[in-house]
Amino acid sequence: AALPAFKARAIVSKHINTGVDWQERKQFDQALAEYKLALKADPRNDSIWMNIGTVYHAQAKLDDALSAYNQALKINAGNQKAQQGVRSASAARNNNIMERQYANGVALFKAGKYPEAAIAFQEVLKYSANQPVGHFSLGVSYQAMKNFAGAKSEYQIAIGLDPKNADYTKALANLQPSPII
């Protein structure tokens, strides 16, 4: 009577083990195919979803990785590896967004589109308010727009976060004050 259940577990284990082997060789498509075969046999297995998440994570498909990790957590909220996967994939995704926004802000600034650059740098700071370079860049954008009070505030924040950076201190010292009306 226990034979069908034992056979099903053996099939799942075979596909998981084969998937791990493929994944270790960085053959991610083959690994994913094996994990999906295991999932067909046992769709409520949080470990399989965790493995799928690690494949997507290794491929930098972070939204897919998060989806798989979260599926593992729906099945087993205590799965610590899936919890760590969510944290790691979320941090990597946010870092990618910050890098793209920062590069966009630099390009906009170089094109003389200072208000748009400021918006891009504000987006960077939404993901990490403790980025001194983000505050400095926002300050430079404000200064280019003649918003000296905004520039001063951002330079001060940048200095507070990185007091040893001479560029931040120099920018604040050389800031042209706004005229008194």
Side-chain angles (χ1 to χ4, degrees):
L3 187 59
F6 178 76
K7 187 176 178 181
R9 283 194 305 275
I11 290 170
V12 169
S13 293
K14 174 192 165 286
H15 288 300
I16 291 173
N17 292 336
T18 304
V20 169
D21 288 341
W22 282 118
Q23 191 171 352
E24 286 174 351
R25 290 187 256 160
K26 300 197 184 319
Q27 299 295 314
F28 299 121
D29 292 336
Q30 293 89 333
L32 200 53
E34 289 295 330
Y35 294 144
K36 288 182 178 181
L37 289 171
L39 204 55
K40 281 184 182 180
D42 189 2
R44 304 258 328 131
N45 185 320
D46 61 312
S47 294
I48 299 169
W49 283 106
M50 177 62 206
N51 288 355
I52 290 171
T54 62
V55 168
Y56 286 133
H57 203 146
Q59 294 176 307
K61 295 178 180 178
L62 300 172
D63 289 332
D64 292 333
L66 283 167
S67 179
Y69 294 141
N70 282 319
Q71 186 61 38
L73 290 172
K74 284 181 187 175
I75 296 166
N76 176 5
N79 185 323
Q80 292 184 354
K81 289 182 180 179
Q83 292 169 1
Q84 177 56 38
V86 167
R87 287 190 296 273
S88 178
S90 294
R93 184 179 65 178
N94 290 348
N95 194 43
N96 288 346
I97 292 168
M98 284 184 350
E99 287 174 4
R100 282 194 310 269
Q101 282 295 343
Y102 187 79
N104 182 44
V106 169
L108 289 166
F109 185 89
K110 288 180 178 180
K113 297 179 179 180
Y114 307 125
E116 293 89 345
I119 291 169
F121 294 130
Q122 288 168 347
E123 282 296 313
V124 169
L125 293 170
K126 283 182 185 177
Y127 288 93
S128 180
N130 294 326
Q131 286 280 348
V133 70
H135 286 285
F136 176 74
S137 299
L138 182 56
V140 171
S141 298
Y142 284 160
Q143 185 173 355
M145 296 177 343
K146 309 281 189 241
N147 176 353
F148 298 111
K152 179 180 179 181
S153 175
E154 293 301 322
Y155 291 155
Q156 288 172 333
I157 294 169
I159 291 167
L161 293 168
D162 186 3
K164 294 181 181 180
N165 190 308
D167 291 333
Y168 302 164
T169 306
K170 183 178 176 183
L172 181 61
N174 293 332
L175 183 65
Q176 298 293 324
S178 59
I180 300 174
I181 299 176

